[in-house]
Amino acid sequence: MKFKNPLKIKLHHQLHHQLDDELYIQLYNQLSSQLYNQLYWQLRTQLVWQLNDQLYDELNGKKTNA
């Protein structure tokens, strides 16, 4: 696409940059929330299992703190 009019060239570049920025932000937000959810559930699951093991050990007298 060749433009001879300088104004059209400028507009064309502006649109490109604007689209790039919007796409970047959109992708960044999408990835951020996906990663956040993934990490949240991963950590939550680890903590639950860790607490389960501790509770199991305490209930079965493997750790005698009394």
Side-chain angles (χ1 to χ4, degrees):
M1 213 189 296
K2 295 267 182 189
F3 296 119
K4 291 183 179 167
N5 184 334
L7 186 61
K8 283 186 180 176
I9 293 173
K10 189 176 181 178
L11 272 173
H12 181 72
H13 285 296
Q14 266 181 340
L15 272 174
H16 261 281
H17 286 299
Q18 192 179 340
L19 276 174
D20 285 345
D21 289 347
E22 285 173 18
L23 266 176
Y24 173 81
I25 290 169
Q26 196 176 337
L27 276 174
Y28 176 83
N29 288 337
Q30 194 178 336
L31 279 174
S32 290
S33 60
Q34 282 175 357
L35 269 175
Y36 173 82
N37 286 336
Q38 195 176 336
L39 278 173
Y40 172 82
W41 287 108
Q42 197 177 334
L43 283 171
R44 188 179 181 278
T45 305
Q46 283 177 347
L47 269 175
V48 166
W49 283 107
Q50 202 175 338
L51 287 172
N52 260 357
D53 289 346
Q54 282 178 6
L55 194 57
Y56 180 82
D57 289 347
E58 286 174 20
L59 288 174
N60 289 304
K62 290 184 180 174
K63 290 181 183 174
T64 50
N65 294 336

